[in-house]
């Protein structure tokens, strides 16, 4: 499940079920437009994608694909884009470009800067820990910076509305504004927590890279192992969200602290949009997909 939004004219929430995804958008007129798109998830089409490690990468790709299309559709509804739908080539080109920028900023740059302070060959664990600190600092700084803009603040408020609606739905409560408002704004399977787990997992995985003294291999190896890092982070997210042992509680605490950067308390109007999207996604009585909610 993932919220979309960011401008006063384009505010909405997307929820995903195994065989469909639903979009609810607050139009400039104030009305809530709701639509449901019948589209099976990748793991419904291809059973092998449910295998451990594979399922994390597949879930992430599936979520990104649907989220980009939902964002494009919400912009159309708000009159901010032409009625032409985003083509497959344009969609995956946008995802690829975003991924490359992310790799450059949060993988290559921290790895290169960390080499200026620590010998990667002599102290691989310490080196990767420092790279993880730089990575986290970049991400926290970026989120803190954009979080000062009013449009992004509203985006983060919709993020909170989505979490609250999911929590109410998972508890079997009636989806009313009062019930949803009373739910916690943080969710253990949030995508922001997933990013935090990616940083933690990368420190461990990258410490086992051979030949850390070779710069091109050091950087290339990080990029090549990114799917493994994401897959392990997903499994960590999945495990910690459903267990109550001390380690899982510590991981959830870490995730919630990170979510403080991207989640804000929503108003009732935002909660209404989240409720509309949740009801549409669950219209067929299916369980909503909540492995990676936002």
């Amino acid at each position: 499940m993932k919220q979309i939004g960011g401008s006063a004219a384009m505010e909405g929430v997307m929820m995903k079920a195994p065989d469909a995804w639903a979009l609810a958008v607050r139009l400039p007129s104030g009305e809530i437009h709701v639509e449901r798109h019948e589209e099976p998830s990748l793991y419904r089409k291809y059973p092998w994608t449910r295998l451990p490690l594979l399922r994390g990468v597949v879930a992430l790709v599936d979520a990104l694909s649907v989220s980009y299309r939902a964002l494009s559709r919400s912009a159309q509804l708000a009159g901010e884009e032409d009625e032409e739908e985003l083509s497959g080539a344009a969609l995956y080109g946008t995802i690829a470009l975003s991924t490359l920028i992310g790799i450059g900023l949060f993988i290559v740059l921290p790895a290169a800067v960390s080499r200026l302070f620590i010998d990667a060959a002599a102290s691989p664990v310490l080196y990767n820990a420092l790279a993880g600190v730089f990575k986290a600092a970049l991400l926290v700084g970026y989120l803190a910076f954009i979080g000062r803009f009013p449009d992004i603040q509203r985006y983060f408020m919709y993020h909170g509305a989505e979490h609250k609606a999911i929590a109410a739905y998972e508890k079997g409560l009636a989806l009313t504004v009062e019930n949803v408002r009373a739910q916690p704004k943080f969710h253990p399977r949030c995508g922001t927590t997933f990013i935090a787990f990616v940083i933690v997992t990368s420190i461990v995985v990258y410490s086992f890279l051979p030949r850390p003294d070779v710069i091109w291999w050091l950087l290339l190896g990080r990029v090549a192992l990114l799917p493994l890092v994401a897959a392990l982070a997903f499994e960590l997210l999945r495990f910690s969200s459903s267990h109550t042992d001390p380690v899982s509680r510590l991981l959830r605490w870490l995730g919630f602290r990170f979510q403080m950067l991207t989640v804000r308390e929503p108003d009732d109007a935002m909660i209404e949009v989240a409720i509309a999207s949740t009801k549409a996604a669950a219209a067929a009585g299916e369980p909503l997909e909540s492995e990676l909610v936002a």
Side-chain angles (χ1 to χ4, degrees):
M1 307 170 190
K2 192 173 182 67
Q3 92 292 336
I4 59 173
S7 72
M10 184 182 65
E11 300 183 343
V13 174
M14 184 274 286
M15 295 286 187
K16 198 171 186 312
D19 289 319
W21 58 272
L23 175 66
V25 176
R26 177 77 70 178
L27 300 178
S29 64
E31 298 179 51
I32 299 177
H33 172 86
V34 182
E35 54 187 52
R36 176 183 165 95
H37 297 259
E38 302 295 332
E39 181 180 317
S41 297
L42 290 177
Y43 77 84
R44 278 287 179 94
K45 296 178 181 178
Y46 311 105
W48 57 267
T49 60
R50 302 179 191 176
L51 295 173
L53 295 184
L54 284 177
R55 60 191 173 193
V57 177
V58 171
L60 185 59
V61 170
D62 205 14
L64 285 174
S65 173
V66 173
S67 295
Y68 271 102
R69 278 180 286 142
L71 184 62
S72 176
R73 175 59 180 153
S74 68
Q76 292 173 10
L77 291 170
E80 296 183 0
E81 284 187 1
D82 296 333
E83 286 301 315
E84 295 182 13
E85 292 195 9
L86 194 62
S87 69
L91 169 65
Y92 290 107
T94 301
I95 294 176
L97 179 60
S98 301
T99 301
L100 287 175
I101 293 174
I103 288 173
L105 284 177
F106 299 109
I107 295 181
V108 176
L109 182 60
V113 172
S114 298
R115 282 179 60 89
L116 301 176
F117 300 94
I118 296 178
D119 185 343
S123 306
V125 176
L126 186 59
Y127 165 78
N128 284 288
L130 181 61
V133 169
F134 280 139
K135 194 183 306 179
L138 279 171
L139 185 58
V140 168
Y142 169 74
L143 292 174
F145 173 73
I146 66 171
R148 298 173 65 88
F149 294 93
D151 283 352
I152 301 300
Q153 289 175 9
R154 289 189 63 80
Y155 180 93
F156 290 165
M157 290 170 73
Y158 268 100
H159 194 173
E162 178 225 13
H163 282 183
K164 286 173 175 282
I166 293 169
Y169 177 82
E170 291 177 338
K171 291 178 182 177
L173 300 175
L175 293 178
T176 64
V177 172
E178 292 74 19
N179 285 344
V180 172
R181 190 196 306 119
Q183 304 309 308
K185 64 182 178 181
F186 298 137
H187 195 286
R189 293 187 299 275
C190 175
T192 306
T193 294
F194 171 74
I195 293 173
F197 287 0
V198 165
I199 294 174
V200 173
T201 306
S202 68
I203 294 173
V204 178
V205 173
Y206 293 157
S207 295
F208 290 95
L209 268 174
R211 296 303 305 275
D213 54 314
V214 181
I215 181 63
W216 67 266
W217 170 246
L218 187 70
L219 299 179
L220 181 62
R222 274 169 155 66
V223 175
L225 288 176
L226 184 58
L228 175 61
V229 169
L232 290 173
F234 179 85
E235 297 299 328
L236 197 62
L237 180 79
R238 197 169 186 266
F239 181 87
S240 65
S241 66
S242 58
H243 291 75
T244 58
D245 58 274
V247 174
S248 295
R249 290 201 299 269
L250 176 62
L251 289 171
R252 284 199 299 275
W253 176 86
L254 172 65
F256 290 165
R257 298 291 76 74
F258 223 67
Q259 287 180 45
M260 292 173 67
L261 294 165
T262 67
V263 179
R264 299 286 186 274
E265 196 68 34
D267 59 31
D268 288 354
M270 295 173 177
I271 290 174
E272 289 174 353
V273 176
I275 289 174
S277 181
T278 303
K279 287 181 176 179
E286 306 163 315
L288 299 185
E289 290 184 357
S290 55
E291 295 289 8
L292 192 62
V293 299

